[in-house]
């Protein structure tokens, strides 16, 4: 293994002694390990500090958020041990900090592994979509009264016009000579420019409101309980910061409705499954419905299309820039990812009237 995990584990105040560790999960940004001592299983992560430039502030957010959620759960059910599985319990280092810096300057964090639950890269049934969306809605609801404002861990993270400007800059630079591969994808994205500022215009007009949102609600960022099927714990808190509820709902539509993975090569398998959209909508509204205003609700179907296009343009930008942001595991991986997003956006457009009708009826 490229890191001495046993050594790193000794930087944290853990229960027991290190036994084993393995790489874990399919995230594109951090390095994640499942690690066991003789007493307890943990998740250990190396924070990607070329992306998250201020890891100390990031961990300050992380702890504030997880403690706030813990307090909500405690208020609800004081002594049920199962409640310990519903938020991330961060382990402190021997310096009493919620992170550990190794000899090479790497930032590590560690929290308790939630047993008997798992994440899904592709959802199998609509009850999982309902459960996941309900959990992400509850997450926003729980954080509605978080005192103060969180740090912005990545500026303009869901600013679609700014992401579009980044794409145009990558096109102009064509640093790797890859522009020739991407004409249809680029055309599709360019043709929809007028839509990219819609949510920000609504925000500026005071029709929708900034809240504390997760901002990376990929469906594999919620743990689904193996026994009950409930969305037990929202994870991957790096980008929890001020945002619009639509960023979260949109990313659920992007990642929860297609039957194929984000990097599927056979595009005929990619599309928006209406029953999954319906389950996401019903699940999200079951917990977020009471704090969203009428206009915010009305814009939920649109957010699915917008965030799908936004992430599609980020994959394309990274492909053109030489794969410097998202981890890739094969040649053209980012282009493949971009293509699924375009296919999905197309499928959303085709079903958009029905999506809107359903939304209006709820
Ligand atoms: P990334 O930022 O790389 O996506 P995540 O924090 O989402 O990293 O973790 C990667 C994967 O590890 C998740 O998709 C999930 O399967 C698993 N995981 C993360 N935290 C926990 C936890 N506390 N308990 C169990 N599994 C976890
Ligand atoms: C990244 O870390 P992960 O894999 O959950 C990215 C998201 C993208 C997603 C695309 C900090 O999420 O914004 O939507 O990949 N996270 C960051 O799969 O950029
Ligand atoms: Mg993740």
């Amino acid at each position: 293994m490229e890191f001495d995990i046993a050594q790193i584990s000794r930087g944290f105040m853990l229960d027991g002694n290190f036994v084993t560790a393995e790489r874990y999960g399919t995230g594109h940004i951090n390095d994640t390990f499942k690690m066991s001592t003789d007493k307890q299983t943990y998740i250990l992560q190396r924070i990607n500090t070329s992306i998250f430039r201020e890891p100390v502030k990031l961990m300050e957010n992380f702890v504030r958020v997880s403690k706030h959620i813990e307090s909500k759960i405690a208020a609800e059910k004081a002594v049920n041990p199962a409640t310990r599985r519903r938020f991330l319990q961060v382990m402190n280092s021997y310096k009493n900090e919620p992170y550990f810096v190794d000899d090479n300057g790497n930032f590590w964090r560690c929290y308790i592994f939630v047993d008997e639950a798992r994440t899904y890269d592709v959802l199998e049934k609509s009850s999982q979509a309902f459960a996941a969306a309900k959990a992400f809605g509850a997450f926003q609801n729980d954080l509605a009264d978080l005192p103060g404002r969180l740090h912005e861990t990545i500026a303009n993270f869901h600013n679609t016009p700014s992401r579009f400007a980044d794409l145009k800059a990558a096109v102009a630079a064509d640093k790797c000579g890859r522009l020739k591969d991407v004409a249809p994808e680029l055309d599709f994205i360019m043709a929809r420019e007028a839509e990219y500022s819609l949510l920000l215009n609504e925000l500026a007009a005071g029709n929708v409101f900034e809240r504390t949102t997760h901002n990376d609600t990929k469906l594999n960022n919620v743990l689904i309980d193996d026994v009950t099927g409930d969305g037990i714990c929202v994870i991957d808190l790096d980008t929890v910061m001020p945002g619009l509820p639509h960023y979260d709902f949109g990313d659920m539509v992007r990642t929860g409705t297609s039957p194929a993975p984000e990097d599927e090569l056979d595009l005929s398998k990619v599309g928006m499954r209406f029953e999954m959209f319906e389950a996401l909508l019903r699940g999200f509204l079951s917990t977020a419905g009471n704090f969203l205003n009428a206009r915010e609700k009305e814009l939920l179907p649109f957010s699915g299309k917008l965030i799908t296009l936004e992430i599609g343009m980020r994959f394309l930008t990274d492909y053109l820039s030489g794969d410097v942001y998202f981890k890739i595991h094969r040649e053209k991986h980012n282009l493949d990812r971009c293509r699924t997003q375009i296919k999905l956006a197309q499928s959303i457009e085709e079903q958009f009237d029905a999506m809107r009708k359903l939304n209006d009826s709820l």
Side-chain angles (χ1 to χ4, degrees):
M1 200 174 277
E2 68 274 40
F3 302 107
D4 186 350
I5 300 291
Q7 173 70 19
I8 291 154
S9 75
R10 286 193 279 276
F12 290 96
M13 293 191 269
L14 304 182
D15 198 9
N17 295 308
F18 175 85
V19 176
T20 180
E22 59 183 348
R23 271 200 180 263
Y24 200 71
T26 55
H28 297 337
I29 308 293
N30 297 312
D31 292 295
T32 303
F33 299 86
K34 182 179 179 184
M35 175 187 74
S36 301
T37 67
D38 45 10
K39 296 226 175 99
Q40 175 72 51
T41 307
Y42 298 93
I43 285 281
L44 181 73
Q45 278 182 324
R46 185 174 78 115
I47 302 173
N48 183 333
T49 48
S50 57
I51 288 177
F52 296 108
R53 300 282 179 163
E54 299 192 273
V56 175
K57 285 188 180 166
L58 184 155
M59 288 312 294
E60 201 182 300
N61 278 1
F62 202 113
V63 170
R64 277 176 67 192
V65 167
S66 50
K67 289 230 175 301
H68 193 74
I69 292 181
E70 179 179 5
S71 72
K72 289 284 161 96
I73 292 168
E76 193 187 303
K77 256 187 199 167
V79 286
N80 183 350
T83 59
R84 306 298 296 171
R85 300 169 68 233
R86 287 174 47 195
F87 61 95
L88 292 176
Q89 294 179 64
V90 179
M91 307 309 294
N92 273 351
S93 71
Y94 278 99
K95 285 191 177 168
N96 223 13
E97 288 163 335
Y99 53 83
F100 168 70
V101 187
D102 71 18
D103 293 343
N104 299 314
N106 292 308
F107 270 79
W108 295 86
R109 65 170 167 232
C110 184
Y111 30 87
I112 291 184
F113 185 88
V114 177
D115 278 318
E116 292 177 43
R118 70 193 69 198
T119 53
Y120 296 84
D121 287 345
V122 174
L123 296 185
E124 292 157 356
K125 43 190 183 191
S126 58
S127 58
Q128 293 167 336
F130 183 92
K134 182 180 169 194
F136 281 127
F139 183 83
Q140 286 189 0
N141 197 33
D142 282 346
L143 294 177
D145 60 350
L146 182 78
R149 196 172 190 266
L150 293 175
H151 303 293
E152 289 192 41
T153 55
I154 298 181
N156 291 318
F157 191 61
H158 277 298
N159 182 324
T160 317
S162 149
R163 297 293 190 179
F164 184 58
D166 293 346
L167 172 63
K168 285 194 288 189
V171 167
D174 191 21
K175 215 170 105 191
C176 305
R178 294 177 171 179
L179 189 57
K180 58 180 177 356
D181 308 338
V182 307
E185 291 76 21
L186 194 56
D187 285 351
F188 190 94
I189 291 170
M190 296 300 276
R192 283 149 184 84
E193 176 170 7
E195 298 177 66
Y196 299 150
S197 51
L198 200 150
L199 281 184
L200 291 178
N201 292 344
E202 293 278 337
L203 176 67
N207 299 332
V208 306
F209 297 96
E210 182 188 277
R211 304 171 194 279
T212 300
T213 52
H214 184 285
N215 297 305
D216 188 5
T217 52
K218 229 176 171 169
L219 268 284
N220 68 13
N221 283 332
V222 59
L223 294 167
I224 308 281
D225 189 292
D226 287 343
V227 177
T228 64
D230 290 338
I232 188 92
C233 180
V234 169
I235 61 169
D236 206 342
L237 307 180
D238 295 326
T239 53
V240 180
M241 58 181 156
L244 298 182
H246 304 87
Y247 302 154
D248 287 0
F249 187 73
D251 208 27
M252 290 181 230
V253 175
R254 180 183 82 80
T255 56
T257 62
S258 177
E262 190 181 66
D263 59 356
E264 175 63 54
L265 286 164
D266 178 355
L267 292 179
S268 71
K269 292 185 179 157
V270 177
M272 213 265 315
R273 290 176 289 180
F274 198 85
E275 73 277 17
M276 290 296 189
F277 171 73
E278 175 162 0
L280 288 174
L281 194 56
R282 288 183 186 276
F284 189 63
L285 289 175
S286 75
T287 42
N290 57 334
F291 66 78
L292 296 173
N293 69 32
R295 183 61 181 149
E296 286 172 323
K297 284 185 194 161
E298 201 178 323
L299 287 164
L300 291 175
F302 171 73
S303 71
K305 177 178 163 189
L306 183 74
I307 299 302
T308 302
L309 283 166
E310 182 190 281
I311 308 299
M313 63 178 89
R314 287 178 61 197
F315 287 141
L316 189 57
T317 304
D318 202 32
Y319 176 69
L320 293 172
S321 311
D323 309 309
V324 291
Y325 188 94
F326 297 105
K327 281 192 180 130
I328 56 160
H329 308 290
R330 61 177 188 245
E331 223 186 301
K332 298 201 174 179
H333 207 163
N334 275 315
L335 180 56
D336 296 338
R337 290 169 177 152
C338 166
R339 288 182 169 146
T340 62
Q341 305 306 290
I342 302 250
K343 177 71 199 298
L344 183 61
Q346 219 163 14
S347 168
I348 293 175
E349 282 182 351
E350 283 159 18
Q351 301 176 73
F352 198 67
D353 285 343
M355 290 164 73
R356 231 178 10 204
K357 254 189 218 131
L358 171 72
N359 190 40
D360 292 347
S361 74
L362 294 181

